[in-house]
């Protein structure tokens, strides 16, 4: 039996009331199901069985971090969310001071929901606002309105005692620079918001948004989206939010501990339809089936489980793949990559790997796009804008 170990857990809740036009994550609209309650109840039974399976398989002692995402977890009822959280903590307890995060939609926020989440152990909320401009929200078929986002922020200022992270998107169609900047001023005026994820809109192939842009139904410019993001970054920094990762900003000591698990290539368990998990020690990554029917059928029917029968696909991660992922994810963070950790994991010299003395990293450093202190290698504030070009040099 392996030594009991703390580990992070991700739960994917695959339900949305209505899917946004830009989204390519696995989720399904509850309006497509005549009996959503039964479907969601079966999902809860299934996902707790899956969590229990992995907790026993990897001898989990406690949850280091927990992140419930989606989809829209707040599509579940308060009693269902409470049952999900209590079920997870019966399988293994939360570690002392563990970060427990749940994603919610602004128009699902009520005082009762906030109180129920706090009682169930949630201490961090991640709320997807995306924009405070109704024209931009309507352009991408966003369910939550600008008005509901403001109302939710007011409720949480009064009634939420945990941490609060919010998402914004730069470059939505029909979004003006002035309106975008006003939205940042508005969000930063809430002192309880300690973390902001600012993304540049990515137009994913096959999404309704991509089809509208390709057909010229909607006008959109990548260049405008990039310029808007840069303005957003500068504004966030003027309010005391530090950029610590490509798209993430926070007030002091308010980084996302769960997402840092991903960026530092630490093990995590992923449960739910479409979820992924990775155990780097055994070089294994899995991705669950995105069919909720197949997922529920397996976990509800079986009384005992073997890894080879799980409704998932698997990928073996060799050392070369892990090494590149370590660099790829590490350089997403402004703190960069630690040479001692690199040597411990891969047995090599990071300075030599990067060309820190007379290679490409040295050239980037001369151009003030990279920095190092002998043991830590990182991209600068300017350099991180060219992350993809940097990573191409590592291949």
């Amino acid at each position: 039996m392996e030594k009991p170990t703390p580990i992070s857990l991700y739960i994917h809740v695959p339900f949305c009331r209505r899917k946004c036009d830009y989204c390519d994550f696995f989720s399904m609209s509850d309006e497509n199901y005549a009996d959503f309650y039964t479907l969601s109840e079966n999902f809860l039974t299934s996902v707790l069985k899956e969590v229990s399976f992995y907790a026993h398989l990897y001898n989990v002692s406690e949850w280091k971090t927990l992140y419930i995402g989606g989809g829209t977890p707040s599509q579940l009822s308060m009693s269902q969310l409470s049952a999900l959280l209590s079920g997870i903590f019966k399988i293994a307890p939360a570690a002392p001071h563990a970060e427990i995060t749940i994603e919610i939609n602004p128009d699902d926020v009520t005082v009762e929901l906030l109180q129920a989440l706090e009682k169930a152990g949630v201490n961090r909320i991640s709320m997807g606002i995306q924009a405070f401009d109704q024209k931009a929200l309507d352009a991408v078929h966003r369910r939550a309105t600008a008005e509901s986002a403001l109302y939710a922020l007011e409720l949480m200022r009064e009634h939420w005692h945990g941490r609060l992270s919010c998402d914004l998107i730069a470059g939505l169609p029909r979004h003006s620079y002035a309106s975008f900047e006003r939205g940042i001023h508005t969000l930063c005026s809430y002192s309880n918001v300690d973390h902001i994820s600012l993304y540049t809109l990515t137009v994913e192939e096959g999404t309704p948004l991509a089809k509208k842009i390709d057909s010229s139904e909607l006008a959109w410019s990548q260049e405008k989206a990039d310029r808007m993001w840069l303005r957003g970054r500068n504004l966030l920094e003027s309010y005391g939010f530090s950029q610590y990762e490509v798209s993430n900003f926070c007030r002091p000591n308010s980084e996302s501990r769960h997402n840092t698990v991903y960026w530092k290539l630490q093990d995590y368990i992923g449960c739910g339809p479409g979820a992924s998990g990775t155990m780097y020690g055994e070089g294994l990554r899995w991705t669950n089936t995105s069919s909720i029917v197949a997922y529920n059928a397996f976990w509800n029917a079986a009384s005992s489980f073997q890894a080879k029968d799980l409704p998932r696909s698997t990928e073996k991660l060799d050392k070369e793949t892990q090494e590149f992922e370590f660099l790829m994810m590490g350089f997403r963070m402004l703190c960069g990559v630690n040479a001692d950790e690199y040597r411990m994991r891969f047995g090599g010299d990071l300075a030599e790997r990067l060309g820190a003395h007379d290679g490409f990293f040295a050239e980037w450093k001369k151009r003030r796009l990279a920095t190092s202190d002998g043991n830590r290698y990182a991209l600068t504030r300017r350099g991180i804008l060219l992350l993809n070009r940097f990573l191409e040099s590592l291949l």
Side-chain angles (χ1 to χ4, degrees):
M1 175 72 73
E2 293 183 5
K3 181 181 177 182
T5 182
I7 196 168
S8 291
L9 174 65
Y10 172 73
I11 302 290
H12 189 73
V13 179
F15 307 120
C16 286
R17 186 175 302 168
R18 187 176 74 193
K19 195 162 182 173
C20 301
D21 284 355
Y22 55 77
C23 181
D24 71 336
F25 291 142
F26 170 62
S27 64
M28 59 194 70
S29 172
D30 60 14
E31 64 191 12
N32 294 330
Y33 294 89
D35 189 357
F36 176 72
Y37 177 77
T38 299
L39 181 74
S40 58
E41 284 291 298
N42 287 339
F43 160 77
L44 288 175
T45 300
S46 298
V47 79
L48 288 173
K49 285 187 177 181
E50 187 184 15
V51 172
S52 180
F53 170 83
Y54 282 115
H56 285 91
L57 180 65
Y58 294 115
N59 202 18
V60 175
S61 61
E62 57 189 13
W63 304 118
K64 185 167 61 174
T65 63
L66 167 62
Y67 194 105
I68 301 176
T72 310
S74 52
Q75 279 300 101
L76 297 175
S77 68
M78 284 185 282
S79 62
Q80 288 176 322
L81 287 171
S82 296
L84 174 61
L85 286 155
S86 65
I88 290 169
F89 296 139
K90 283 178 183 176
I91 293 167
H97 311 296
E99 180 187 84
I100 313 296
T101 304
I102 188 167
E103 293 180 352
I104 64 175
N105 218 45
D107 54 358
D108 293 330
V109 176
T110 63
V111 173
E112 293 75 20
L113 175 63
L114 297 176
Q115 291 173 342
L117 292 176
E118 188 169 352
K119 184 177 180 181
V122 174
N123 54 27
R124 184 173 183 270
I125 283 174
S126 177
M127 184 167 69
I129 292 175
Q130 319 314 359
F132 288 94
D133 186 310
Q134 195 57 47
K135 290 181 181 178
L137 295 173
D138 290 342
V140 293
H141 207 219
R142 179 90 179 136
R143 167 165 69 99
T145 64
E147 183 180 1
S148 68
L150 290 169
Y151 181 68
L153 285 167
E154 289 296 331
L155 283 183
M156 284 190 277
R157 177 151 60 183
E158 295 296 322
H159 301 283
W160 176 244
H161 303 106
R163 294 177 54 201
L164 176 58
S165 174
C166 295
D167 292 356
L168 295 174
I169 298 178
L172 290 173
R174 300 174 183 164
H175 207 179
S176 69
Y177 289 111
S179 176
F180 172 72
E181 291 177 8
R182 282 197 301 271
I184 289 183
H185 288 302
T186 296
L187 186 57
C188 292
S189 71
Y190 289 87
S191 59
N192 60 326
V193 176
D194 61 20
H195 188 282
I196 295 174
S197 297
L198 176 63
Y199 303 102
T200 304
L201 178 65
T202 301
V203 181
E204 300 288 355
E205 186 177 349
T207 59
L209 178 61
K211 294 173 184 176
K212 289 179 180 179
I213 291 172
D214 290 344
S215 68
S216 299
E217 181 181 342
L218 278 177
W220 182 76
S221 164
Q222 181 70 64
E223 183 180 353
K224 179 182 177 182
D226 291 340
R227 287 200 304 265
M228 192 175 284
W229 185 91
L230 285 171
R231 291 192 185 189
R233 179 182 71 171
N234 293 341
L235 269 178
L236 288 173
E237 290 177 340
S238 74
Y239 276 99
F241 284 84
S242 298
Q243 183 184 16
Y244 72 98
E245 191 268 347
V246 170
S247 302
N248 287 277
F249 301 77
C250 68
R251 300 191 197 270
N253 303 312
S254 297
E255 295 85 352
S256 168
R257 284 158 50 197
H258 183 86
N259 286 341
T260 301
V261 167
Y262 303 148
W263 299 325
K264 291 193 173 183
L265 258 66
Q266 297 172 2
D267 292 343
Y268 67 94
I269 291 169
C271 295
S276 293
T278 306
M279 302 298 291
Y280 289 100
E282 55 186 69
L284 175 67
R285 174 171 295 143
W286 69 86
T287 302
N288 285 343
T289 176
S290 57
S291 166
I292 190 168
V293 174
Y295 178 84
N296 283 347
F298 175 85
W299 289 105
N300 278 296
S303 56
S304 62
F305 315 97
Q306 295 185 25
K308 65 180 180 64
D309 298 323
L310 300 184
R312 65 179 191 176
S313 60
T314 59
E315 175 187 0
K316 293 298 291 182
L317 303 177
D318 58 27
K319 280 296 181 183
E320 182 179 356
T321 300
Q322 291 192 42
E323 189 264 358
F324 181 72
E325 288 192 2
F326 180 82
L327 297 176
M328 176 179 68
M329 301 301 278
F331 280 107
R332 290 182 62 92
M333 298 183 291
L334 270 293
C335 66
V337 177
N338 183 284
D340 290 338
E341 187 176 353
Y342 179 86
R343 185 181 301 109
M344 182 175 63
R345 292 184 76 145
F346 305 107
D349 184 278
L350 183 59
E352 182 179 338
R353 170 71 170 91
L354 298 176
H357 302 303
D358 56 5
F360 82 91
F361 192 90
E363 289 298 317
W364 278 58
K365 194 171 180 180
K366 286 179 184 178
R367 296 163 57 196
R368 298 184 179 180
L369 299 173
T371 183
S372 66
D373 61 8
N375 197 52
R376 183 184 64 88
Y377 296 82
L379 298 179
T380 63
R381 185 173 176 273
R382 288 176 54 226
I384 207 161
L385 299 175
L386 304 171
L387 176 63
N388 289 339
R389 190 180 305 174
F390 178 83
L391 294 175
E392 289 172 2
S393 301
L394 291 178
L395 289 172

